[in-house]
Amino acid sequence: MNDTSDPKFWSDLVDVLIIGTGQTLYMVSIALVVTVIVGLPLGVLLVGTERGGLFATPFGSRTAGRVINRVLDFIVNLGRSIPFIILMIAVIPFTRLVVGTFIGSTAAIVPLSLVAIPFFARMVEIALKEVDPGLTEAANSLGASRWQIVRKVLVPEALPSMLLGLATTVTSIINFSAMVGTVAGGGLGDVAFRYGYQRYSTIHIVAVIIIIFIIVQSLAAIATHFAKKYARTASDTGRAKAVAARADLRPVVGTD
């Protein structure tokens, strides 16, 4: 039991919460960076290798494109289907191989990234499918290569939706990071478990809930702000011209 009348209780509470918050932000930020680096190209390939997509015929073979698409789709579905607690246990050997241990905040980044990458990849796929096909056709008619279209047309146009999807992904990572805390992963989840559950301190649990709520709401507000900032409001014709001007697309001969 925690004695709130103890003069050291509140100072110890603040210290514990600061450490836990720092560990949570560390896990979430690194996992988020890894998620974007891997999940973004994965989402692009999911869309691009579909029939009629930019990368539908890699190596000149539609069969190869179909195989790649189905394999990636299977991996994404598998990653989203496995409960996090099971995934965390299943990847312990891989986690130990990568960081040398499976305990602590650094080790927790591995399962957090693995569970978030498929989720964000699916968000990217959905966002890219919402882009007006006419913009891609306009860029293609100007002789743009496939990667030019991805970098200068598809991703910029889908950015608002991807930012909103990223906000949802961050929320999931934060929620899973709390679960990691129950198995010596550190962070606010560890504070809630060790102090709130094991020592019956309602104050610690309430404090953790408030901090997590503030973090989630702050990140959601930031993502929403930038999503609105980059949202396109011009007409389709104006957008096509803007895309061509922004991308500075010129006829490209013999490029992919």
Side-chain angles (χ1 to χ4, degrees):
M1 290 286 291
N2 290 279
D3 184 7
T4 57
S5 63
D6 186 343
K8 294 183 178 181
F9 175 81
W10 296 103
S11 61
D12 290 344
L13 172 65
V14 172
D15 290 341
V16 167
L17 290 175
I18 290 176
I19 294 173
T21 302
Q23 291 175 339
T24 294
L25 292 177
Y26 165 68
M27 291 186 290
V28 171
S29 59
I30 301 300
L32 183 61
V33 171
V34 175
T35 297
V36 172
I37 292 175
V38 180
L40 179 58
L42 183 58
V44 171
L45 287 176
L46 277 170
V47 175
T49 52
E50 291 182 344
R51 181 179 296 276
L54 292 173
F55 309 103
T57 57
F59 315 111
S61 172
R62 173 54 195 154
T63 301
R66 189 183 302 112
V67 170
I68 293 174
N69 182 265
R70 290 182 178 177
V71 170
L72 294 179
D73 188 64
F74 173 78
I75 293 174
V76 169
N77 287 335
L78 179 64
R80 297 178 63 206
S81 302
I82 302 176
F84 179 67
I85 188 67
I86 297 177
L87 175 66
M88 187 167 53
I89 297 172
V91 300
I92 283 178
F94 178 70
T95 301
R96 187 187 286 113
L97 177 66
V98 173
V99 299
T101 180
F102 64 93
I103 297 176
S105 300
T106 300
I109 293 173
V110 176
L112 286 175
S113 300
L114 291 177
V115 75
I117 287 171
F119 185 84
F120 182 62
R122 192 64 77 187
M123 292 291 177
V124 171
E125 179 189 16
I126 294 173
L128 291 175
K129 287 183 176 180
E130 293 177 351
V131 176
D132 183 3
L135 298 178
T136 302
E137 294 173 2
N140 189 52
S141 67
L142 292 173
S145 68
R146 291 179 292 185
W147 287 111
Q148 279 183 308
I149 295 175
V150 170
R151 290 186 296 106
K152 299 183 178 182
V153 179
L154 289 179
V155 172
E157 288 296 315
L159 189 58
S161 296
M162 285 195 291
L163 286 173
L164 295 178
L166 187 63
T168 304
T169 304
V170 172
T171 301
S172 299
I173 294 176
I174 293 174
N175 291 336
F176 289 132
S177 72
M179 190 181 301
V180 166
T182 64
V183 289
L188 291 171
D190 181 56
V191 174
F193 181 73
R194 288 196 297 118
Y195 291 88
Y197 176 72
Q198 293 184 333
R199 302 186 186 183
Y200 308 103
S201 176
T202 304
I203 294 177
H204 282 80
I205 293 179
V206 172
V208 167
I209 292 174
I210 292 174
I211 293 174
I212 290 178
F213 176 78
I214 291 173
I215 293 174
V216 170
Q217 292 301 312
S218 299
L219 294 175
I222 293 172
T224 301
H225 168 74
F226 282 103
K228 291 181 179 179
K229 179 179 179 180
Y230 292 111
R232 306 294 186 238
T233 57
S235 65
D236 289 342
T237 303
R239 288 172 63 193
K241 293 180 179 179
V243 167
R246 182 178 69 246
D248 190 25
L249 298 174
R250 298 183 176 87
V252 180
V253 179
T255 60
D256 241 347

